[in-house]
């Protein structure tokens, strides 16, 4: 059963989309609209637009769109009902519960409860005889009781069934425990603990819920760490250790370390803006979350070979997210935890000095390239400059580019002009590659690769025509009866557009409609597709004459013409680019 209309209308009135989204995205006003960097993909130039007039948002870069509910679904990783509850709580509204299908929401709630109980269980175990190995390990690493409590550290006993039995006694089912990834099932379907004889590090989401765990073995057994797999409440690709603390540190700078103990050591030393990417290679999702809370990231990965490779992989991901970057290389092949312990009370001051002396990502990358070659030889100098020129070629600021080319010139004895020429050629090659990627992206925009409406690739003209009619009906709900007579839903060629059109005809009976009227019936991706249709027609809205032409195209496509010409598609792509450039003003 759907949520009552009166409730949805009240929620929409109280949750102004610009206000909600501005708590996640730095928005600036352009005319009637708001623009910012998209939180769902990496970009340097803002292409994310919020339309307060109709309560929608749309990104011209990644084609993500919808209303305030679908935004919260995406940004908070919630299902529809959970997003509604999230907004309702913020707005001070009670959600009518009768008839609401919240099966997944209830499962997520149960998993969060299981995780909370598990964290308490592991923490209690530290003070018991079976937890002594874990407590002794943490004390050897220099942790006191206050730090252990602050991070909720614990120990999983060797029993193999202790946690499963505890959770069962509290009323949790085997299925719920398995879904949480805290237990596994034996061949006899008996639940057993996934974590045994491991120090446990709970992972919190941004709202303070325990969503996952990392477990460290205390012997030479492999693997050294095991981590929670993806569950209904946790996705490894977006998890960040200690982000729940670091986001409140009062600075727009974050220190990105490699492991749990590194972050804990940095927090104890006063650097409470430290986080870790949970032992996995940094992902785009993690970078986008970091971008919400920081303008600058200081990478402080281990100084061994693996850590340096991870640093070089992380730099372009963070750059694409619009973050400025600095890099600390801890001396002596130490990690931050070892560094702090080796210098004792002087550790924080020494680390602060490293932080203040740290170079930007360009200096780091040039230094890493320099270390690969012997520039005393002609061959080594040529290879060094060829690779260094690619780094310099990516610098947007011409003055900075000139400065770094000058440094390379003094270092190698090659003229600055020659180095700048090499950098220009490298930048040209990169620009051509970006152009190819843009063309592929625009092809996705016009629907030739649409997952929501896959029939559009075979019936391009008809699909465009159907979108014209849908956009017209959104603006002219009073013409719904006339449209139904002129082109009933069964005449639509593509099934997805037919479904939207039919639903829209039903909703226009009650007058004006908005994007939010569809958020309960459509998935997040479908909401993006519908928003795209509305947004891309807003600057040149179709009239009744256009509707008549569209009906003719649909009838023609339905009989013998299956595809638009390349010229039609390219023309349409150009219109979309024009809208992107001009529609944000």
């Amino acid at each position: 059963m759907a949520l009552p209309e009166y409730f949805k209308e009240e929620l929409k009135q109280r949750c102004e989309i610009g206000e909600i989204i501005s708590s996640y995205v730095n928005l600036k006003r352009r005319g009637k609209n708001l623009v910012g960097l998209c939180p769902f993909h990496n970009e340097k130039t803002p292409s994310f637009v919020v339309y307060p007039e109709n309560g929608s948002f749309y990104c011209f870069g990644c084609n993500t769109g919808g209303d305030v509910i679908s935004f919260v679904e995406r940004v908070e990783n919630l299902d529809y009902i959970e997003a509604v509850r999230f907004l309702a709580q913020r707005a001070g509204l009670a959600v009518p519960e009768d008839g609401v299908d919240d099966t997944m929401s209830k499962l997520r709630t149960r998993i969060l409860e299981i995780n909370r109980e598990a964290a308490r269980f592991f923490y209690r175990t530290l003070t018991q005889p079976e937890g002594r190995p874990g407590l002794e390990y943490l004390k050897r690493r220099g942790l006191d009781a206050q730090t252990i409590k602050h991070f909720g550290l614990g120990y999983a006993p060797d029993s193999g069934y202790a946690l499963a039995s505890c959770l069962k006694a509290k009323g949790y089912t085997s299925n719920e425990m398995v879904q949480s990834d805290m237990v596994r099932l034996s061949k006899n379907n008996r639940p057993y603990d996934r974590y045994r004889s491991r120090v446990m590090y709970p992972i919190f989401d941004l709202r303070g819920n325990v969503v996952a765990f990392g477990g460290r073995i205390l012997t030479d057994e492999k693997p050294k760490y095991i981590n929670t797999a993806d569950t209904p409440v946790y996705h490894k690709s977006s998890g960040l250790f200690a982000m729940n603390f670091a986001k409140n540190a009062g600075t727009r700078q974050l220190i990105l370390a490699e492991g749990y103990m590194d972050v804990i050591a940095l927090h104890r030393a006063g650097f409470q803006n430290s986080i870790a990417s949970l032992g996995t290679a940094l992902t785009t999702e993690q970078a986008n979350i970091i971008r919400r809370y920081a303008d600058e990231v200081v990478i402080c990965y281990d100084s061994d070979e693996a850590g340096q490779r991870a640093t070089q992989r992380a730099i372009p991901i963070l750059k694409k997210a619009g973050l400025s970057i600095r890099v600390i290389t801890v001396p002596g092949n130490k990690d931050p935890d070892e560094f702090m312990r080796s210098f004792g009370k002087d550790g924080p001051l020494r680390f602060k000095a490293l932080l203040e002396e740290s170079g930007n990502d360009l200096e780091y990358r040039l230094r890493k390239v320099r270390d690969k070659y012997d520039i005393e030889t002609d061959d080594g100098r040529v290879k060094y400059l060829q690779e260094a020129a690619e780094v310099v070629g990516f610098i947007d600021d011409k003055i900075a580019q000139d400065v770094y080319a000058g440094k390379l010139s003094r270092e190698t004895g090659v003229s600055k002009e020659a180095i700048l020429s090499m950098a220009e050629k490298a930048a040209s090659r990169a620009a051509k590659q970006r152009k190819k990627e843009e063309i592929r992206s625009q092809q996705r925009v016009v629907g030739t690769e649409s997952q929501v409406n896959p029939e559009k690739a075979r019936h391009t003209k008809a699909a465009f025509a159907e979108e014209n009619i849908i956009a017209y009906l959104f603006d002219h709900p009073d013409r719904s009866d006339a449209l139904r007579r002129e082109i009933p839903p069964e005449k639509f060629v593509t099934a997805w557009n037919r479904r939207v059109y039919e639903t829209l005809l039903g909703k226009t009976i009650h007058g004006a409609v908005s994007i939010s009227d569809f958020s309960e019936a459509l998935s997040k991706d479908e909401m993006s597709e519908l928003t795209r249709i509305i947004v891309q027609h807003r600057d040149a809205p179709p009239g009744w004459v256009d509707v008549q032409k569209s009906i003719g195209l649909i009838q023609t496509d339905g009989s013998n013409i299956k595809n638009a010409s390349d010229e039609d598609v390219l023309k349409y792509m150009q219109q979309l680019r024009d809208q992107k450039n001009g529609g944000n003003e």
Side-chain angles (χ1 to χ4, degrees):
M1 184 182 296
L3 289 166
E5 289 298 327
Y6 75 85
F7 170 78
K8 290 192 288 186
E9 186 60 31
E10 181 70 14
L11 186 69
K12 184 168 63 175
Q13 293 297 324
R14 293 201 191 187
C15 297
E16 198 277 318
I17 190 167
E19 180 184 346
I20 299 296
I21 293 181
S22 65
S23 63
Y24 299 91
V25 180
N26 183 20
L27 297 173
K28 295 181 179 179
R29 181 164 293 280
R30 287 189 185 172
K32 296 180 180 179
N33 307 323
L34 304 166
V35 300
L37 293 172
C38 180
F40 305 120
H41 84 290
N42 296 325
E43 62 178 8
K44 293 182 179 179
T45 304
S47 59
F48 180 86
V49 187
V50 178
Y51 301 97
E53 265 187 325
N54 63 11
S56 70
F57 72 93
Y58 186 74
C59 175
F60 288 87
C62 66
N63 313 318
T64 300
D67 67 337
V68 67
I69 296 174
S70 53
F71 177 85
V72 170
E73 284 184 74
R74 287 182 182 276
V75 80
E76 293 286 351
N77 188 32
L78 303 174
D79 65 22
Y80 174 78
I81 290 298
E82 288 173 321
V84 168
R85 288 200 177 102
F86 179 94
L87 289 169
Q89 183 178 19
R90 177 170 175 152
L93 289 173
V95 180
E97 298 294 339
D98 292 344
V100 173
D101 182 8
D102 58 353
T103 305
M104 180 55 69
S105 178
K106 287 180 178 177
L107 175 61
R108 288 168 60 99
T109 299
R110 295 287 280 180
I111 290 174
L112 290 175
E113 291 173 359
I114 287 171
N115 289 343
R116 184 178 65 242
E117 293 296 337
R120 290 171 175 169
F121 173 85
F122 294 138
Y123 179 75
R124 286 196 306 269
T125 302
L126 274 179
T127 61
Q128 299 169 358
E130 58 265 43
R132 182 176 298 171
L135 186 59
E136 290 178 348
Y137 167 80
L138 294 174
K139 285 183 176 180
R140 285 198 305 273
R141 300 296 295 264
L143 303 192
D144 55 22
Q146 183 179 354
T147 301
I148 291 171
K149 182 178 180 180
H150 179 71
F151 286 94
L153 308 182
Y155 186 72
D158 189 45
S159 153
Y161 297 97
L163 177 61
S165 299
C166 174
L167 293 173
K168 184 177 180 181
K170 291 182 178 292
Y172 298 103
T173 68
S174 294
N175 177 62
E176 290 169 339
M177 289 188 276
V178 169
Q179 292 270 18
S180 73
D181 200 39
M182 295 310 300
V183 307
R184 300 287 172 88
L185 293 180
S186 68
K187 292 180 180 178
N188 299 323
N189 285 327
R190 181 184 179 186
Y192 65 90
D193 297 351
R194 187 184 179 205
Y195 298 93
R196 295 175 57 175
S197 303
R198 290 180 181 268
V199 170
M200 300 300 293
Y201 301 88
I203 299 162
F204 297 85
D205 66 12
L206 297 173
R207 297 188 297 279
N209 299 308
V210 181
V211 292
F213 292 88
R216 188 197 193 281
I217 198 72
L218 300 183
T219 65
D220 293 331
E221 183 183 338
K222 301 295 182 181
K224 183 177 179 180
Y225 284 94
I226 59 174
N227 303 288
T228 301
D230 283 355
T231 72
V233 302
Y234 174 68
H235 296 286
K236 291 181 290 186
S237 62
S238 59
L240 290 163
F241 181 65
M243 191 66 178
N244 56 309
F245 299 128
K247 70 183 178 69
N248 299 320
T251 174
R252 293 290 296 178
Q253 179 197 73
L254 289 173
I255 299 172
L256 180 61
E258 200 166 325
Y260 303 110
M261 292 304 298
D262 294 328
V263 170
I264 292 171
L266 288 168
H267 276 247
R268 292 187 70 222
F271 303 95
Q272 296 175 347
N273 57 330
S274 304
I275 59 174
S277 51
L278 299 172
T280 60
L282 188 75
T283 66
T284 297
E285 293 89 342
Q286 289 168 327
N288 286 334
I289 292 171
I290 290 171
R291 184 66 184 86
R292 293 187 217 161
Y293 300 99
D295 301 314
E296 180 181 75
V297 173
V298 181
I299 302 176
C300 188
Y301 284 167
D302 295 357
S303 53
D304 59 14
E305 186 177 344
Q308 295 307 294
R309 285 198 305 269
T311 297
Q312 295 195 62
R313 286 195 299 268
I315 286 172
I317 294 172
L318 293 167
K319 291 284 282 186
K320 286 181 181 178
L323 290 151
S324 60
I325 302 164
R326 291 160 63 192
V327 181
I328 291 178
T329 302
V330 181
N333 286 329
K334 290 183 172 65
D335 58 38
D337 178 40
E338 291 173 320
F339 181 85
M340 292 297 179
R341 285 188 285 123
S342 64
F343 287 106
K345 292 182 179 179
D346 291 335
L349 282 176
R350 287 178 177 267
F351 187 83
K352 184 179 179 182
L354 287 178
L355 186 61
E356 291 172 348
E357 295 166 3
S358 60
N360 62 33
D361 60 296
L362 287 166
E363 292 165 346
Y364 172 82
R365 291 169 66 188
L366 287 171
R367 186 174 71 249
K368 298 307 291 184
V369 174
R370 171 68 179 79
D371 292 343
K372 292 165 60 176
Y373 303 107
D374 178 6
I375 64 170
E376 296 303 318
T377 68
D378 291 341
D379 183 62
R381 191 156 56 250
V382 169
K383 289 179 178 177
Y384 169 47
L385 284 173
Q386 286 173 338
E387 195 167 337
E390 292 186 8
V391 176
V392 174
F394 275 96
I395 303 175
D396 294 327
D397 188 327
K398 291 298 182 183
I399 294 176
Q401 193 177 70
D402 192 81
V403 169
Y404 283 101
K407 287 184 177 181
L408 288 171
S409 175
R410 291 189 293 275
E411 184 180 17
T412 62
V414 175
S415 74
K416 184 172 71 174
E417 289 73 23
I419 294 171
L420 285 171
S421 177
M422 294 172 66
E424 186 178 348
K425 290 176 182 177
S428 177
R429 289 193 297 270
K432 288 178 181 178
Q433 182 60 34
R434 287 196 299 271
K435 187 66 175 177
K436 289 180 181 178
E437 292 173 359
E438 182 182 350
I439 290 172
R440 285 197 292 267
S441 175
Q442 290 294 343
Q443 287 174 337
R444 288 193 295 272
V445 169
V446 300
T448 56
E449 298 179 14
S450 173
Q451 294 181 348
V452 171
N453 187 4
E455 293 175 290
K456 187 173 181 180
R458 293 184 294 111
H459 302 282
T460 316
K461 283 186 176 179
F464 289 164
E466 290 165 353
E467 291 174 7
N468 267 337
I469 294 171
I470 289 170
Y472 177 85
L473 185 54
F474 254 93
D475 287 341
H476 302 87
D478 56 310
R479 302 301 299 271
S480 59
D481 289 340
L483 274 172
R484 189 186 294 274
R485 288 193 300 269
E486 292 282 340
I487 182 160
E490 59 268 21
K491 295 293 186 181
F492 267 43
V493 176
T494 65
W496 190 80
N497 281 343
R498 184 187 313 126
R499 174 184 159 208
V500 171
Y501 179 56
E502 189 167 18
T503 305
L504 184 54
L505 284 170
K507 291 184 178 295
T508 53
I509 294 173
H510 305 289
V513 291
S514 71
I515 295 290
S516 294
D517 293 326
F518 288 79
S519 59
E520 191 170 5
L522 301 182
S523 70
K524 295 190 291 289
D525 289 340
E526 289 174 331
M527 284 291 286
S528 290
E529 180 71 0
L530 179 58
T531 308
R532 179 192 64 76
I533 293 171
I534 304 307
V535 166
Q536 291 176 352
H537 289 82
R538 63 185 294 274
D539 293 322
W544 186 250
V545 173
D546 300 307
V547 168
Q548 294 295 320
K549 291 179 180 178
S550 296
I551 292 172
L553 277 173
I554 292 171
Q555 293 169 342
T556 302
D557 189 288
S559 59
N560 56 17
I561 299 177
K562 298 302 181 187
N563 291 294
S565 67
D566 291 341
E567 184 181 350
D568 288 336
V569 174
L570 290 171
K571 182 179 179 181
Y572 190 69
M573 287 167 61
Q574 183 60 52
Q575 290 173 350
L576 299 186
R577 283 194 289 269
D578 292 343
Q579 287 176 14
K580 177 178 177 179
N581 294 332
N584 295 350
E585 298 303 324

